[in-house]
């Protein structure tokens, strides 16, 4: 087990309850960018569902959701939350070839997972393979300016009662865009997100990108 899996396993019991403005904003952003009516009947792959909050919302509209996460305990929480025949949770490292058919999905989406991936290329390549022609890839991620300011996913480890920082990798905005373009996507939309009332001089908390398969 690597350090990231171990950390998320240990965070799983408190992930939903502890105050977390990054998580909350990411969920709001995804819901806003994916209006329910546009999800109706879609086949969706989700990356890093964690405890399944976004999965639950996707599953209310989509025809099928396959959610892949590398933490067994996060997935256990997600499975407790959603028991629906059209939703499957798969323990899988998204940097390895995905256990799904090619051209099987209309939408690939995920939040707050790519910061834990060092090389974005395999993930974008798998998303492109998994998507049908003109399929959409929507990601919402921790903004690199925040990382440059020293921020990082962290939680109080219940075993040690100490703050534990989860290994994360820096991706410039241009790197995110380039990974999509080089994998065969067109960039449809790029947005940066701040907390309500935050000054423009503050770094955005999140970046989201909508890509479409060429
Ligand atoms: C910050 S949580 C986000 C969970 C959920 N998307 C949300 O917004 O609440 C990051 C999730 O990504 C998963 N993750 C990190 N690296 C991964 C990888 N290489 N493959 C699959 N899942 C990964 C973690 O196990 C964790 O559940």
């Amino acid at each position: 087990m690597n350090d990231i899996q171990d950390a998320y396993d240990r965070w799983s019991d408190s992930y939903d309850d502890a105050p977390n403005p990054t998580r909350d904003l990411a969920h709001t952003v995804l819901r806003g960018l994916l209006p329910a009516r546009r999800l109706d009947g879609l086949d969706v792959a989700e990356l890093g569902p964690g405890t399944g909050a976004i999965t639950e919302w996707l599953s209310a509209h989509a025809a099928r959701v396959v959610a892949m996460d590398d933490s067994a305990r996060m997935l256990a929480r997600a499975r407790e939350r959603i028991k629906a025949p059209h939703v499957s949770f798969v323990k899988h490292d998204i940097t390895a070839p995905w256990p799904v058919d090619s051209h099987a999905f209309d939408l690939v989406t995920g939040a707050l997972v790519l910061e834990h991936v060092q090389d974005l290329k395999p993930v974008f390549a798998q998303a492109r393979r998994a998507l049908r022609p003109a399929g959409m890839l929507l990601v919402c991620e921790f903004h690199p300016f925040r990382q440059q300011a020293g921020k990082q996913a962290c939680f109080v480890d219940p075993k040690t009662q100490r703050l534990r920082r989860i290994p994360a990798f820096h991706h410039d905005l241009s790197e995110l865009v380039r990974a999509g373009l080089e994998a065969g996507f067109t960039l449809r939309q790029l947005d940066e997100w701040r907390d309500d009332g935050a000054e423009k001089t503050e770094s955005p908390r999140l970046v989201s990108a909508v890509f479409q398969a060429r």
Side-chain angles (χ1 to χ4, degrees), residues 27-159:
H27 295 183
T28 302
V29 166
L30 271 196
R31 289 188 176 114
L33 289 172
L34 288 170
R37 68 181 186 287
R38 275 174 38 202
L39 285 171
D40 276 346
L42 298 191
D43 294 320
V44 180
E46 186 186 355
L47 313 180
T51 59
I54 294 168
T55 324
E56 185 171 40
W57 177 75
L58 291 168
S59 68
H61 308 284
R64 180 170 69 113
V65 182
V66 176
M68 295 173 272
D69 199 292
D70 213 13
S71 158
R73 289 189 57 184
M74 289 296 246
L75 283 178
R77 298 295 308 270
R79 288 190 179 105
E80 282 165 19
R81 187 197 289 258
I82 308 149
K83 298 178 190 342
H86 67 298
V87 178
S88 48
F89 292 102
V90 184
K91 163 106 175 54
H92 189 71
D93 174 357
I94 57 163
T95 64
W98 299 355
V100 301
D101 290 337
S102 299
H103 314 305
F105 295 92
D106 306 293
L107 170 70
V108 173
T109 190
L112 306 175
V113 59
L114 296 182
E115 69 185 280
H116 301 303
V117 170
Q118 187 161 19
D119 182 3
L120 298 179
K121 280 184 190 162
V123 179
F124 277 78
Q126 288 300 308
R128 182 66 189 82
R129 180 184 70 75
L131 282 168
R132 299 187 174 116
M136 306 296 286
L137 167 64
L138 165 52
V139 291
C140 181
E141 291 296 328
F142 199 52
H143 201 289
F145 293 172
R146 289 252 171 174
Q147 286 180 308
Q148 282 164 341
K151 308 279 188 199
Q152 188 174 337
C154 60
F155 69 106
V156 176
D157 189 325
K159 198 168 170 189

Side-chain angles (χ1 to χ4, degrees), residues 21-22 24-34 138-146 173 189-199 202-210:
T22 300
D24 294 346
L25 183 61
H27 295 183
T28 302
V29 166
L30 271 196
R31 289 188 176 114
L33 289 172
L34 288 170
L138 165 52
V139 291
C140 181
E141 291 296 328
F142 199 52
H143 201 289
F145 293 172
R146 289 252 171 174
L173 295 182
Q189 196 174 330
L190 184 75
D191 293 296
E192 294 166 294
W193 304 90
R194 292 183 177 81
D195 298 340
D196 280 346
E199 297 291 334
E202 284 179 43
S203 296
R205 186 179 287 281
L206 299 172
V207 55
S208 64
V210 180

